[in-house]
Amino acid sequence: MAAVQWHSRARRYESELQSCGLEVAPVEFSDYHPLKSITVTDSKSRRGARKGSTSSSSSSSSSVAPDPLSSMLDGTDPLSMFAAASASESPPTLSQSRKRREKEDEVGVDFEPWSSKRGEILARFTTTEKLSINLFMGSEKGKAPSLASSAVSEKVRTRLEELDDLEEGSQRELLNLSQQDYVNRIEELNQSLKEAWASDQKVKALKIVIQCSKLLSDTAVIQFYPSKFVLITDILDTFGRLVYERIWSMCSDPRPLPDSFTADEVNDTAKETCLNWFFKIASIRELIPRLYVEVALLKCNRFLTKCGIQETVPRLTAMIRGIGDPLVAVYARAYLCRIGMEVAPHLKDSLNKNFFDLLGTFRQIHGDSVQNQLVLQRVEIPVYLTLYSPAIHWILQCVSYRAPEDYINCAEIWVEFTCRHFTKREVNTVLSDIIKHMTPDRAFEDAYPQLQSVIRKILTYFHDFSVLFSMERFLPFMDMFQKDSVRVGVCLSIMDVFIKHQQEPTRDPVILNALLHVCKTMHDSVNALTLEDEKRSLALLINGFIRMVSFGRDFEQQLSFCVEARATFCNLEPVLVQLIHTVNQLAMETRRVMRGSHSRKTAAFVRACAAYSFITIPSLTSIFSRLNLYLLSGQVALANQCLSQADAFLKAAVSVLPEVPRSISIEGKLRSSEGFLLDFINNFLSALLVVPDHPEAGVLFLVRGLLNMVQDYTWEDNSDAKVHVYISALPLLAAMSQESYLYSIPKVDSNETLYGGDPKFLAEINKLCETLIGQVLDHLKTLGRDESIHRQGSLAFSLFGCLLAHGDLRNNKLNQLAVNLWNLSHKQGYCNTRTSVRTLEFIKHQAQQPDMVHLSDVLHRLTLQSRT
Amino acid sequence: MSASLDIRLKRANKVYHEGEVLAGVVAIVSKEAVQHQGITLTMEGIVNLQLSSKSVGVFEAFYNSVKPIQLITSNIEVVKQGKVPGGKTEIPFEFPLHTKGNKVLYETYHGVFVNIQYTLRCDMKRSLLAKDLSKTCEFMVHCLPQKAKLQPTPVDFTITPETLQNVRERSLLPKFLIRGHLDATNCVITKPLTGELVVESSDVAIKSIELQLVRVETCGCAEGYARDATEIQNIQIAEGDVCHSLPIPIYMVFPRLFTCPTLETINFKVEFEVNVVIVLHDEHLITENFPLKLCRA
């Protein structure tokens, strides 16, 4: 069959176009047009159908059609929306609110406990001086008759008397105690407290506690005072615990109280017992013991009323003002704050009040009373002042505990007010204040949700990014987001707003720097574990940013931005693709500005653009991205008269072809790549028409190269793809043999000019065509042997169509071949009758053309095989 | 003798008001069955007036008036003669708290010269061979709340050497200025006495500031009476040389039993006062007295 001779049919493209061109109808603006932005008026009825759709852009009717892909960013995906809704909008359920309350009711592990301070104080504040303990065990007699209150007191009263008898006038002054003796004595008191309690001698227990607390009003051997405070508050703690547990145990019938009990769940007997304790304490004569014992029992208020603690703490705070000695007062405050934190850490006001009262009474230190005492005890002021440090440190620890949390909760609200009613200057002030408050101790780590909310609120009100980034503290504020996931989340929301609201491309260096930084953060968060989806949405946002960057006529600046962006976003393939497109567009824009004639400078520039693309494309992993971009960049290079660059691109594309795998993964599914490959090759072929042959390479170098690659490619078994390519190459070759080409590129000489219809060139083309046809016919033969008659018929018909359209059928051999192919395709009756009929009609129509009369002869030889 | 007798009132705080019912159980615990000739309950409310030794002379003429005044008495039989089985037996009872005639149930009050006390006594009469059993328990009576809405009447005070009475040598006094106020002198007995005190200035250091709650009990009638003021409790509100110009809270809880709504009858009166006592370092004692009117609301 190699005897087949090819002759291309001569074409008059213009007249053909006119004869077959459709009538041009003007399109009304309101008419449907597939590229027009979609306007949905009846959005309501649509909504139901769109349930679960990720896009909400359907209602967009803006005249500026944004990138349709970025419209995906209009709405958050439904899962995140649910998550956000459940996090923010759903009303707190009972268990949630309870949890929250419980959280407030307890001090977290982040609060340094007193137990760790205790030892430190004891070790630090020691003395070698002799100490004394004054215990007036009978001194309450007669002065606090109410101790024997209530009707249960018969027994108690007797016991009280016994006690009094026992210790009548037993004012025991233990003198000349060493520090260790003193500690031992206090420990003994602690033991006797426990013993008294265990043997049901509650009054004695109370007396011991009162006597111990009284020791705290004594500031003799003042340098030992902090340690004394520690020792005695230990006893008070024991006492407080004993009383609390006792009352609690009274409520254990029928079942123990839950930890989060309320006063309503406490029975009357327990309440009465508790009330008795408070009446007893209220009648303690001296201020300091009364204060300390009441503080020790603070927690017991829970048995009586819901807000008992809340009302008591401020009263006790005020009560401390009655203590004249500033050192005694500050330790009393420390104790109140300590118990307050244990029992009701949410009562911040009182903690603060203690601190402010402390400041307010600080001048007492320089008063005569203190000074005289110091002289008497021969203690220097600096030494004296160090005695305050444990107490003040403790109070400050209490005051500052979770203070940032409270602060940020307020600030979060304030920032919205500021955004709504003030300018960026005030917002900047708020931001700087938040930074100031949240930076110490990395407090921001616990406040990410609030800080994110601050950003969201600012973004809601500030859409002008030049204003936004001109706030000095905005980026420092961003620096507080140090946890990667949070940081990226914030960056995403910024970019989201930017893409939605930035109308004009920008070159503002402040915006570009800041957003580049933001995008870089997003990009750098990508790691091996990042999901494809996440990568895609990150890339979409970054692409949106890149599209919004324009340096106007400063093309070089634009290119260098792309260079920078490529380095920054190298891990996100869609971004690299976008960058190549941007650079190609830049080259085309340059061409447009120069009206097609490059100067030396612009020629160099477009070559630089081509170089950019050329070195970027190989880094892409997607084979079809690479192929398409090589082709596209080659076309751009050609359009800009960069012939050798275009050659390089196209050669690269050809050389990449063998790498195309037989199947590729598309949206997670493995699919055959054949269809894509054929599409690409057809596209490539049509581009080759205008590519001039390289002077040093042979005639039709690229076409041959491509066809060689196609021949060597490992196609799928039982596939006709290769033959399809061969058939597709025929129209190209036919077009190349025309005197004047179907299309050309201004200022680029294609082969039509280079060869000027040289017969040698034409002969070369014909030879190539003949080889191709020979290959196709061989293939048709093999199909005839198999059970592939159907395929044989359709391939034969394809080739027939090609001969009809592009071959010169005046040539008898070609003519005969066409008729044979027609018959072959109709032999088995598998062909589409309608197509055949229409083909015949076409031939009839063509035959009426002046120089196509020979077709009517062909027509006679084509018989339509009817199945009927 | 293994049997024991006890009265348990239903109310944990044992506080009752006129017209209410005292409910509870008589509990008998015994190993064996107990034979008895009836168990009775007796409720009694009595005002005891005592004369202070210094006024005994004056009082001889009115000796009659110091006889205890009975406010209420009543008696019921809980169980008729019979046998209580061994083990723990609880016999419930209800006792209405009603007065006869126009007698008023004054509030329970334990004072020095005046005592108002209500008791519930349970008696188990037994055969001649066994000892009778008896058990007494006190219960508390509170007045019904006063209907009239109480308007607090704040009282401001300023204490300087010049405002003092009973000063022997005014010129020897150090200079001082103490201001303050009580939020009210007509107080609800269940609410604390509150106010503030500010030491504006003082030449001599303050040693202590105290609130002294005083009862003023009067026994007698129009023709003659004995009036005695005694301390109920003394509450220190400031210790040491307190910070000047800083308000110090005045706060005192009225003790139960030892205070009652201010009471005025033909035979006796119970009134209350509070003294703000300032002790200076040189042992000068400055007292400002405020009569109080206590009530129940």
Side-chain angles (χ1 to χ4, degrees):
Chain A
M1 287 298 267
V4 173
Q5 282 183 5
W6 177 262
H7 296 281
S8 296
R9 182 163 72 87
R11 306 288 292 270
R12 288 193 305 279
Y13 291 121
E14 274 175 42
S15 58
E16 279 180 41
L17 182 69
Q18 270 167 14
S19 66
C20 66
L22 293 170
E23 209 179 322
V24 176
V27 178
E28 289 293 316
F29 184 70
S30 58
D31 286 352
Y32 168 78
H33 189 278
L35 297 179
K36 216 174 97 177
S37 61
I38 307 161
T39 311
V40 176
T41 40
D42 189 9
S43 59
K44 210 170 197 176
S45 62
R46 274 277 186 100
R47 193 156 292 163
R50 302 186 124 257
K51 197 169 276 177
S53 159
T54 54
S55 165
S56 61
S57 67
S58 60
S59 58
S60 149
S61 59
S62 68
S63 54
V64 182
D67 172 11
L69 293 178
S70 75
S71 64
M72 181 195 133
L73 304 162
D74 255 71
T76 330
D77 70 279
L79 287 180
S80 325
M81 260 153 64
F82 288 141
S86 67
S88 64
E89 283 162 29
S90 68
T93 61
L94 187 71
S95 70
Q96 274 175 328
S97 65
R98 167 162 282 192
K99 223 169 239 169
R100 172 89 182 132
R101 217 199 70 222
E102 278 167 7
K103 197 184 144 217
E104 277 180 359
D105 283 359
E106 279 166 29
V107 177
V109 283
D110 48 342
F111 187 77
E112 190 187 356
W114 172 252
S115 51
S116 66
K117 286 267 193 301
R118 228 189 129 258
E120 198 183 304
I121 298 174
L122 286 177
R124 183 171 158 204
F125 297 96
T126 58
T127 183
T128 51
E129 288 188 38
K130 292 298 174 193
L131 300 156
S132 65
I133 296 182
N134 253 313
L135 294 172
F136 303 82
M137 291 310 270
S139 65
E140 290 289 319
K141 192 199 174 195
K143 287 197 170 171
S146 62
L147 277 176
S149 69
S150 96
V152 269
S153 59
E154 276 303 310
K155 196 169 66 180
V156 173
R157 197 174 288 172
T158 330
R159 188 179 299 145
L160 187 61
E161 280 158 15
E162 281 168 15
L163 271 174
D164 286 349
D165 289 344
L166 194 70
E167 295 172 0
E168 184 71 44
S170 66
Q171 170 189 338
R172 288 179 294 161
E173 189 171 10
L174 303 166
L175 294 165
N176 285 328
L177 296 173
S178 72
Q179 184 182 317
Q180 192 51 49
D181 292 339
Y182 193 94
V183 172
N184 293 343
R185 283 299 301 154
I186 298 281
E187 184 45 38
E188 277 172 32
L189 282 169
N190 206 353
Q191 283 310 315
S192 47
L193 165 67
K194 287 178 187 163
E195 280 162 24
W197 190 269
S199 58
D200 214 25
Q201 300 182 67
K202 308 278 191 308
V203 175
K204 185 180 178 191
L206 178 61
K207 280 187 166 192
I208 292 171
V209 172
I210 292 172
Q211 290 304 315
C212 290
S213 320
K214 234 183 239 186
L215 297 174
L216 287 174
S217 55
D218 176 13
T219 52
V221 194
I222 203 160
Q223 57 271 49
F224 184 63
Y225 192 86
S227 291
K228 183 159 80 174
F229 169 80
V230 169
L231 295 171
I232 287 167
T233 50
D234 280 354
I235 296 181
L236 284 159
D237 288 348
T238 307
F239 180 68
R241 200 178 57 246
L242 288 172
V243 174
Y244 184 85
E245 283 170 0
R246 166 86 186 114
I247 300 173
W248 194 78
S249 72
M250 293 172 86
C251 306
S252 57
D253 194 37
R255 58 181 173 280
L257 283 177
D259 281 342
S260 57
F261 71 89
T262 62
D264 300 338
E265 297 166 69
V266 178
N267 66 45
D268 285 350
T269 316
K271 273 188 179 150
E272 189 59 24
T273 309
C274 187
L275 208 54
N276 268 331
W277 278 111
F278 284 121
F279 271 107
K280 278 179 200 174
I281 294 162
S283 67
I284 295 172
R285 202 190 87 78
E286 285 174 71
L287 173 65
I288 289 167
R290 190 171 70 250
L291 176 79
Y292 270 99
V293 178
E294 189 162 2
V295 174
L297 296 194
L298 185 63
K299 196 177 177 186
C300 293
N301 277 290
R302 289 185 67 193
F303 295 112
L304 293 180
T305 54
K306 193 177 150 216
C307 47
I309 294 176
Q310 200 175 324
E311 286 163 2
T312 306
V313 176
R315 178 170 61 76
L316 295 174
T317 303
M319 194 166 154
I320 296 174
R321 293 178 164 195
I323 301 176
D325 188 304
L327 187 67
V328 177
V330 79
Y331 275 92
R333 290 192 192 285
Y335 187 60
L336 177 58
C337 288
R338 171 151 85 78
I339 301 297
M341 281 302 280
E342 279 171 23
V343 173
H346 57 285
L347 296 178
K348 294 272 176 178
D349 288 350
S350 291
L351 294 173
N352 293 343
K353 185 88 175 83
N354 268 298
F355 182 63
F356 290 125
D357 271 1
L358 164 68
L359 296 181
T361 54
F362 211 69
R363 55 176 184 221
Q364 290 283 93
I365 289 173
H366 305 288
D368 289 344
S369 302
V370 171
Q371 296 300 325
N372 292 342
Q373 197 183 11
L374 294 184
V375 170
L376 214 63
Q377 294 201 31
R378 288 191 291 269
V379 174
E380 299 292 327
I381 271 277
V383 175
Y384 175 68
L385 287 178
T386 60
L387 303 178
Y388 284 80
S389 71
I392 293 178
H393 188 265
W394 181 262
I395 293 169
L396 283 176
Q397 186 188 328
C398 294
V399 167
S400 62
Y401 181 65
R402 296 218 171 131
E405 192 179 317
D406 294 332
Y407 168 81
I408 193 65
N409 285 334
C410 290
E412 185 196 341
I413 308 297
W414 266 100
V415 79
E416 179 158 22
F417 174 77
T418 320
C419 287
R420 186 180 293 193
H421 299 289
F422 296 92
T423 65
K424 66 161 189 176
R425 189 173 145 259
E426 288 78 14
V427 175
N428 191 48
T429 309
V430 174
L431 288 183
S432 106
D433 196 59
I434 295 176
I435 294 168
K436 201 178 89 194
H437 276 84
M438 301 310 287
T439 307
D441 298 332
R442 302 175 67 81
F444 50 75
E445 284 179 345
D446 298 322
Y448 286 138
Q450 292 93 333
L451 293 174
Q452 275 177 293
S453 163
V454 168
I455 291 278
R456 269 199 302 275
K457 281 170 180 161
I458 292 175
L459 290 173
T460 310
Y461 291 95
F462 289 84
H463 292 157
D464 185 340
F465 276 68
S466 60
V467 173
L468 189 69
F469 288 122
S470 65
M471 281 183 219
E472 266 180 12
R473 311 307 292 171
F474 188 81
L475 287 180
F477 188 88
M478 293 281 298
D479 284 341
M480 289 199 292
F481 296 104
Q482 293 192 358
K483 190 175 157 197
D484 282 348
S485 60
V486 178
R487 197 175 172 78
V488 172
V490 171
C491 290
L492 282 171
S493 52
I494 291 176
M495 288 317 294
D496 208 9
V497 171
F498 176 78
I499 286 167
K500 230 182 270 180
H501 295 282
Q502 183 73 23
Q503 302 283 350
E504 301 285 322
T506 181
R507 60 181 300 171
D508 182 330
V510 177
I511 297 183
L512 294 190
N513 264 330
L515 288 185
L516 212 53
H517 177 72
V518 165
C519 288
K520 181 172 161 45
T521 307
M522 283 162 39
H523 168 269
D524 292 352
S525 75
V526 172
N527 56 37
L529 298 176
T530 312
L531 298 173
E532 280 304 316
D533 258 1
E534 289 174 48
K535 281 195 213 166
R536 196 166 25 241
S537 60
L538 289 176
L540 266 172
L541 289 171
I542 297 175
N543 285 350
F545 163 61
I546 291 170
R547 272 197 296 273
M548 273 300 166
V549 176
S550 166
F551 291 89
R553 285 289 179 90
D554 193 346
F555 294 147
E556 299 206 0
Q557 181 82 31
Q558 186 96 30
L559 182 62
S560 64
F561 170 79
C562 289
V563 171
E564 193 188 343
R566 180 178 59 192
T568 314
F569 306 124
C570 57
N571 290 328
L572 285 171
E573 198 157 310
V575 177
L576 294 180
V577 171
Q578 172 65 43
L579 285 169
I580 295 166
H581 282 300
T582 305
V583 169
N584 279 334
Q585 203 183 355
L586 193 60
M588 292 311 283
E589 188 64 16
T590 313
R591 180 177 175 276
R592 193 184 61 80
V593 169
M594 300 305 289
R595 295 169 206 269
S597 320
H598 285 297
S599 66
R600 240 175 85 183
K601 199 178 159 198
T602 59
F605 177 72
V606 293
R607 280 200 293 274
C609 290
Y612 179 96
S613 300
F614 193 74
I615 58 171
T616 310
I617 295 171
S619 65
L620 302 175
T621 56
S622 160
I623 188 91
F624 281 102
S625 295
R626 261 189 282 166
L627 285 172
N628 289 321
L629 285 169
Y630 273 135
L631 174 57
L632 181 74
S633 305
Q635 289 168 322
V636 169
L638 210 52
N640 283 294
Q641 301 123 43
C642 307
L643 298 184
S644 56
Q645 280 79 3
D647 253 359
F649 278 117
L650 299 176
K651 259 190 241 170
V654 170
S655 64
V656 163
L657 268 182
E659 290 173 28
V660 176
R662 295 243 295 258
S663 51
I664 52 170
S665 161
I666 292 164
E667 285 167 359
K669 283 179 202 147
L670 221 53
R671 286 174 55 179
S672 164
S673 64
E674 199 177 276
F676 296 96
L677 188 54
L678 287 180
D679 281 352
F680 170 74
I681 292 174
N682 286 338
N683 196 0
F684 193 83
L685 288 172
S686 65
L688 286 183
L689 176 62
V690 290
V691 181
D693 277 342
H694 193 279
E696 285 161 21
V699 176
L700 299 178
F701 168 72
L702 280 168
V703 180
R704 282 170 196 280
L706 176 72
L707 291 172
N708 285 338
M709 285 297 178
V710 168
Q711 189 174 14
D712 296 342
Y713 184 74
T714 41
W715 297 92
E716 277 174 55
D717 304 331
N718 284 327
S719 158
D720 303 324
K722 181 159 73 175
V723 180
H724 277 297
V725 174
Y726 291 160
I727 296 174
S728 304
L730 290 173
L732 168 70
L733 293 167
M736 279 181 155
S737 53
Q738 301 300 320
E739 231 168 84
S740 114
Y741 281 5
L742 175 58
Y743 44 83
S744 61
I745 293 171
K747 298 194 189 297
V748 174
D749 293 333
S750 357
N751 286 340
E752 59 172 328
T753 326
L754 290 184
Y755 296 110
D758 184 341
K760 272 190 205 159
F761 174 64
L762 294 178
E764 197 71 29
I765 289 178
N766 291 345
K767 226 169 90 192
L768 199 50
C769 288
E770 283 151 18
T771 313
L772 289 174
I773 293 174
Q775 291 280 324
V776 176
L777 294 178
D778 282 350
H779 185 72
L780 284 175
K781 257 189 221 162
T782 61
L783 288 179
R785 282 200 291 271
D786 304 335
E787 301 302 305
S788 335
I789 304 300
H790 187 193
R791 277 163 56 203
Q792 189 192 43
S794 87
L795 265 182
F797 195 76
S798 291
L799 185 56
F800 168 77
C802 187
L803 292 184
L804 182 66
H806 304 285
D808 185 355
L809 295 188
R810 284 174 299 195
N811 177 293
N812 282 337
K813 278 199 172 171
L814 266 189
N815 191 316
Q816 185 55 46
L817 178 62
V819 174
N820 288 347
L821 285 169
W822 173 272
N823 291 336
L824 183 62
S825 64
H826 285 75
K827 197 168 71 185
Q828 306 298 334
Y830 284 119
C831 59
N832 188 333
T833 319
R834 252 180 86 176
T835 316
S836 304
V837 170
R838 295 190 68 173
T839 308
L840 290 175
E841 276 170 10
F842 170 77
I843 300 171
K844 208 185 277 174
H845 176 78
Q846 285 286 92
Q848 287 162 7
Q849 303 289 324
D851 50 353
M852 300 292 252
V853 191
H854 60 280
L855 280 183
S856 53
D857 175 42
V858 174
L859 193 62
H860 291 304
R861 299 168 64 192
L862 300 180
T863 51
L864 190 59
Q865 211 172 46
S866 174
R867 259 177 283 177
T868 50
Chain B
M1 181 61 245
S2 56
S4 77
L5 197 61
D6 198 11
I7 304 173
R8 271 189 242 126
L9 290 173
K10 247 187 194 165
R11 287 191 190 169
N13 62 4
K14 300 181 181 185
V15 173
Y16 294 88
H17 301 88
E18 190 172 347
E20 286 182 339
V21 171
L22 263 84
V25 290
V26 173
I28 301 149
V29 181
S30 165
K31 279 190 181 139
E32 300 115 41
V34 186
Q35 189 76 40
H36 64 87
Q37 267 139 345
I39 299 172
T40 56
L41 272 175
T42 311
M43 177 167 67
E44 202 167 39
I46 286 178
V47 182
N48 272 304
L49 301 176
Q50 247 182 352
L51 300 177
S52 70
S53 52
K54 61 176 184 181
S55 52
V56 155
V58 186
F59 241 78
E60 275 170 340
F62 308 101
Y63 191 72
N64 282 343
S65 63
V66 292
K67 271 202 297 191
I69 304 162
Q70 198 163 54
L71 299 172
I72 189 170
T73 178
S74 89
N75 188 302
I76 50 168
E77 190 171 38
V78 185
V79 187
K80 285 213 164 66
Q81 178 177 359
K83 206 174 188 180
V84 179
K88 193 172 165 185
T89 310
E90 290 194 344
I91 307 159
F93 66 83
E94 287 195 348
F95 224 132
L97 197 56
H98 282 306
T99 48
K100 290 195 185 97
N102 56 358
K103 289 255 174 79
V104 183
L105 291 184
Y106 304 131
E107 221 180 279
T108 299
Y109 167 72
H110 292 205
V112 179
F113 303 106
V114 178
N115 258 295
I116 306 171
Q117 196 170 22
Y118 296 85
T119 54
L120 195 58
R121 197 177 73 241
C122 179
D123 292 298
M124 181 195 272
K125 292 225 165 53
R126 303 177 73 182
S127 63
L128 287 167
L129 294 171
K131 220 170 137 190
D132 290 352
L133 290 177
S134 178
K135 174 77 185 182
T136 309
C137 101
E138 183 178 3
F139 66 92
M140 262 55 71
V141 169
H142 279 181
C143 295
L144 291 168
Q146 278 156 0
K147 298 237 167 57
K149 184 91 173 118
L150 202 70
Q151 284 298 319
T153 46
V155 179
D156 290 328
F157 60 84
T158 304
I159 312 171
T160 62
E162 288 72 36
T163 63
L164 297 179
Q165 297 157 350
N166 298 328
V167 185
R168 257 169 270 142
E169 190 58 66
R170 205 174 289 269
S171 59
L172 293 178
L173 276 178
K175 283 208 166 27
F176 58 84
L177 170 59
I178 290 156
R179 274 191 239 273
H181 70 268
L182 294 176
D183 293 327
T185 52
N186 47 353
C187 303
V188 177
I189 197 164
T190 51
K191 301 273 163 62
L193 172 79
T194 55
E196 265 183 355
L197 179 143
V198 186
V199 178
E200 298 285 4
S201 62
S202 176
D203 282 357
V204 177
I206 307 277
K207 193 179 181 189
S208 176
I209 301 176
E210 289 150 26
L211 301 174
Q212 187 184 36
L213 182 63
V214 172
R215 51 169 105 75
V216 182
E217 296 164 311
T218 311
C219 301
C221 58
E223 284 115 79
Y225 58 91
R227 191 174 189 272
D228 291 282
T230 47
E231 179 185 287
I232 302 174
Q233 67 177 13
N234 190 324
I235 298 292
Q236 187 188 36
I237 59 165
E239 149 134 0
D241 191 12
V242 290
C243 195
H244 293 183
S245 311
L246 187 75
I248 295 162
I250 290 175
Y251 183 92
M252 180 169 65
V253 175
F254 294 111
R256 295 191 294 189
L257 294 173
F258 304 104
T259 52
C260 66
T262 303
L263 187 57
E264 207 167 324
T265 73
I266 303 167
N267 300 322
F268 66 96
K269 281 201 270 188
V270 181
E271 293 159 298
F272 300 92
E273 291 174 356
V274 69
N275 290 323
V276 174
V277 183
I278 296 142
V279 188
L280 300 182
H281 224 273
D282 56 9
E283 300 300 334
H284 270 107
L285 197 82
I286 303 152
T287 301
E288 188 81 8
N289 178 271
F290 301 92
L292 301 176
K293 184 153 173 62
L294 302 188
C295 66
R296 210 165 265 288

